[in-house]
Amino acid sequence: MVDLYGQYVRLKDEIDRAMMEVIASSAFINGPAVRTFAGHLSEYTGAEYVIPCGNGTDALQAALASLHLLPGDEVLVPDFTFIATVETVALLGLTPVIMDVDPDTFLIDPASIGKYITPKTKAIIPVHLFGQCVDMAPLLEEAEKYELKVIEDAAQALGAWYTFPDGTRKMAGTMGDIGCTSFFPSKNLGAFGDGGAVFTDDEGLAATIRSYVNHGTQKKYYHERIGINSRLDTLQAAILDVKLTHLDEFIEARQRVADWYDEHLGPLSFLRIPARAANTTHSFHQYTLVTRGIDRRHLMNYLKEAGIPSMIYYPLPMHRQEAFSGFPFYHKEFPVADQLCNTVMSLPVHTEMNEEQLDYITTYIKNYQHG
Ligand SMILES: *Cc1c(COP(=O)(O)O)cnc(C)c1O
């Protein structure tokens, strides 16, 4: 699905040099590269404060913990997402409230927020799934109306741009009160291990989050709150700082792959190519098709026979996860998420794909004989 080694080989000189510098200085924990990278990421995204941390899940947890919510407060989350979005809410003693998603874009529809609101609803986590932004202008209006804090889950969409009705553009993760991202190796900006970051323009929230991920500390050995230990490793920061200078190219390469797939798979009746949501660019963390009138497993096995990988993101919606069996949404009606989980299929999309590979994949899919 990805070619992490191929990308490394292409950037080897730059990356090796950056890693050797860290090793030579032996400042492995909170070394200067962490601060340098955070500064560059702030410039890149436009976020005033960037707080690096250990992974994207911790970023979400730190963001949620900084809002001083009370046990039982409700947080709106999509049904069709990676578990981290929902798990962190539950871990903090808050109550996730599941929203169904739009069948075309796979994203939450801001117009549906009203029907999930109760007096306990305090926050919402829009997930910019697969690389394109939730429609944030109407979402922020609804959030203001219902006094909700907004935490963007931009783990899959770093580098995607959203355009507001007045023409201003903002990057995924910088529109809500807080944004979170992940540097998991396969993400758009991937480390050689785990990593994550939190974005905010609010000085107070930034200070709280910074303290939370550092054992609740601002001054060493004086702990003002109960926190966690979640650091971005210095080696990872050095690698990410190199890769950040290439992120726009990475995204353009992903978009070229998606354009190729769209053009060649668009005419096939048994597949629906991914819809491009309004007002956002698509950074194509995943290229996710909806299969129509065919046995998805049969197609995936057919691909496998030709050495073409495919994956299901995601096979089970949040409302069917056993982990959430104690919550009221468990096994309730979320027809769109169910339908998507039963029909979606993702194809390889990464920065090292060439036309020969793409042609091989799409020609082979066009020859698929079904039903
Ligand atoms: C990857 C991902 C996360 C979590 O990131 P980690 O770095 O793996 O902890 C959270 N939300 C979404 C939507 C993700 O894709």
Side-chain angles (χ1 to χ4, degrees):
M1 295 296 285
V2 292
D3 181 5
L4 300 175
Y5 186 71
Q7 191 189 64
Y8 163 65
V9 168
R10 195 157 52 80
L11 305 174
K12 188 174 186 313
D13 290 348
E14 282 178 272
I15 290 176
D16 287 2
R17 200 178 324 120
M19 289 179 74
M20 288 319 294
E21 268 173 37
V22 173
I23 294 167
S25 76
S26 294
F28 295 118
I29 301 294
N30 287 332
V34 178
R35 191 174 283 262
T36 306
F37 169 61
H40 289 153
L41 194 53
S42 163
E43 281 167 32
Y44 179 82
T45 57
E48 182 88 24
Y49 303 97
V50 172
I51 302 107
C53 63
N55 55 66
T57 308
D58 285 355
L60 286 164
Q61 183 176 333
L64 281 160
S66 73
L67 296 177
H68 305 294
L69 301 178
L70 298 172
D73 281 352
E74 294 176 0
V75 181
L76 305 183
V77 287
D79 197 12
F80 191 56
T81 183
F82 179 60
I83 186 112
T85 318
V86 186
E87 166 189 66
T88 45
V89 173
L91 267 175
L92 291 171
L94 307 169
T95 303
V97 171
I98 300 290
M99 299 176 69
D100 208 348
V101 296
D102 180 88
D104 296 324
T105 63
F106 314 141
L107 305 169
I108 55 166
D109 175 4
S112 73
I113 288 173
K115 74 177 188 209
Y116 299 100
I117 297 288
T118 77
K120 289 193 151 188
T121 318
K122 295 292 154 57
I124 181 167
I125 310 182
V127 178
H128 304 311
L129 198 75
F130 301 149
Q132 58 184 349
C133 295
V134 169
D135 201 357
M136 288 301 285
L139 185 137
L140 292 172
E141 273 174 31
E142 293 298 286
E144 196 176 333
K145 181 160 128 198
Y146 297 112
E147 294 180 41
L148 308 181
K149 296 287 183 193
V150 178
I151 299 175
E152 297 171 71
D153 183 339
Q156 302 187 359
L158 190 63
W161 288 98
Y162 179 81
T163 306
F164 284 85
D166 68 0
T168 55
R169 295 197 330 153
K170 283 198 171 187
M171 204 170 264
T174 68
M175 297 174 272
D177 296 284
I178 309 177
C180 299
T181 202
S182 163
F183 307 122
F184 186 85
S186 62
K187 299 282 156 89
N188 292 356
L189 180 61
F192 288 4
D194 278 307
V198 185
F199 307 126
T200 183
D201 287 345
D202 183 304
E203 193 181 349
L205 287 175
T208 306
I209 292 162
R210 216 178 279 286
S211 154
Y212 184 80
V213 297
N214 183 29
H215 299 290
T217 315
Q218 290 194 51
K219 185 173 162 210
K220 207 167 187 186
Y221 304 123
Y222 293 81
H223 306 276
E224 64 207 6
R225 57 170 57 76
I226 294 173
I228 61 174
N229 172 23
S230 184
R231 294 184 278 247
L232 179 64
D233 190 87
T234 311
L235 269 171
Q236 302 304 338
I239 293 160
L240 289 165
D241 201 40
V242 169
K243 285 206 186 185
L244 180 59
T245 63
H246 298 277
L247 181 55
D248 287 337
E249 290 159 36
F250 292 166
I251 291 171
E252 282 159 24
R254 287 173 177 276
Q255 288 166 341
R256 280 195 300 274
V257 171
D259 288 344
W260 177 286
Y261 283 147
D262 277 0
E263 186 187 332
H264 293 85
L265 304 179
L268 303 180
S269 62
F270 58 95
L271 294 174
R272 203 204 77 206
I273 59 173
R276 309 281 177 116
N279 310 319
T280 174
T281 63
H282 200 323
S283 61
F284 281 102
H285 172 61
Q286 295 298 345
Y287 185 87
T288 301
L289 296 150
V290 179
T291 58
R292 290 196 288 209
I294 56 166
D295 176 354
R296 169 177 63 173
R297 276 286 160 203
H298 187 264
L299 173 59
M300 292 176 75
N301 284 332
Y302 168 80
L303 293 172
K304 199 172 164 191
E305 282 164 20
I308 300 168
S310 61
M311 292 288 282
I312 298 171
Y313 302 117
Y314 296 95
L316 198 66
M318 293 301 116
H319 79 275
R320 294 194 185 279
Q321 299 289 347
E322 195 182 343
F324 300 130
S325 58
F327 288 97
F329 59 77
Y330 187 60
H331 281 196
K332 288 288 184 321
E333 293 273 298
F334 297 91
V336 179
D338 272 334
Q339 173 73 13
L340 292 176
C341 289
N342 290 330
T343 53
V344 290
M345 182 190 84
S346 300
L347 288 176
V349 50
H350 59 79
T351 59
E352 311 308 306
M353 289 181 89
N354 57 39
E355 263 192 29
E356 198 186 329
Q357 291 168 320
L358 287 168
D359 185 49
Y360 175 75
I361 294 171
T362 51
T363 304
Y364 187 72
I365 294 176
K366 282 181 204 166
N367 290 331
Y368 178 61
Q369 303 288 327
H370 56 92

